[in-house]
Amino acid sequence: MNTGINLRSINKLAIPATIAGIAEPVLSITDTAIVGNIPEFGMESLAATGIVGSFLSMLIWVLGQTRSAISAIISQYVGADKKDKILALPAQAIFLNISMSILVLLSTIFIVEEIFVLMNATGKILELCIAYYSIRVWGFPLTLFVFAVMGIFRGLQNTYYPMLIAITGAVLNIVLDIILVYGIEGYISPMYLEGAAWASLMAQGVMAIMAFVLLITKTDISLALRLPIHPELGRLVVMSLNLFVRALALNAAMILAVREATSLGDRYIGAHTIAINLWLFSAFFIDGYGAAGNIMGGKLLGARNYNGLWLLAKKITTYGLVVSLGLVTLGFLFYYPIGRVFSNDPAVLETFYAIFFILILSMPLNMIAFVFDGLFKGLGEMKYLRNVLLVASFLAFIPLLYLGKYLGWGIYGIWAAFTIWMLIRGGALVWKFRQKFRPLLQNV
């Protein structure tokens, strides 16, 4: 029987989703690579980018969970052939999300110094963190709006327009980074780290405008806020709250890792900044198949096609494994040139090369976690995702992080904790999927 679940149909969603998904890490990686090579205060600027980037990622991923929730609900309605009954929900969800983002922005902008002191930033690094964050934070609501629109498109089984938005934002950010950080002799003075912040903010603004225009011209979904409240808004809020708690746990782990790397010294936070940006880039690269699982999984669940859902899980895991092994190969082939892209400081590079192999070897393991994470979001299994992350973070990652500190493992201890963290996350999701859906299969 032709299920329509094959390499072509999956890649039609996965490849554009991969390109769209790496937009934010590309913005961060661009800043990291360009800032790390600033002639004056290059190491300090690199450290500040890593610290601020980690905090901003926490804010974005904590409040950006509406994207996954709305994608899951819309895709399930599409699968049940009831799309016309969900058209009023997106505007209400976006309004709620943007209101929360503005509240968070206003609550952090007045305590910037205190935030980064808590993350062990001092001296010149603290000064640069404050300057960089004070500009980049204004792009926070813009990014959340873009995320929400991308979630709507995903629910509608469309990853092409999110890809266009992402490509435009990434290319524009790279061009503006080069112009504003280094300047153009006789025309624009170098702005260094602040230039990188302005480049990111302007790119995010353009992405938000594109998202708005594409949504109102290419879909029948209106952004006009209408009452009464949609009956699915309550489920969306519960799903988002579960993902909200999950994202808090995730980012607690990420920020504690940054804090411990910062406490080791400038060379260590510089190396960790490079490593975590590459880790996030590879995560979003692999996550394209997780996005396909999210989109197609929700639709198959809405249609109660459990055999198709099982087949989908097998195929996206296989394709994700091929991609992750390709990244492993590239990582080892270009082991030393990759580091030199981000920094020319010998101490930072020496520290980075000492741990890079851990990051590379963990990619297939990460793939399992990311692919099933996306699939579970499409199925609406937010409560289980929350519980897995809480257990993995508070009973494994954080204890291992401080055990490594106690035993004097340094930056190796941080990345060992990351590896065990991902092993638990991926293993728990595979086990749950088999337990829940294998009994529902017919003639298998």
Side-chain angles (χ1 to χ4, degrees), residues 403-427:
L403 176 64
K405 180 179 182 179
Y406 175 77
L407 295 175
W409 292 348
I411 198 167
Y412 292 101
I414 296 173
W415 283 90
F418 269 114
T419 304
I420 300 301
W421 190 49
M422 297 306 294
L423 176 64
I424 293 172
R425 289 173 58 185

Side-chain angles (χ1 to χ4, degrees), residues 49 383 421:
T49 303
K383 182 178 178 180
W421 190 49

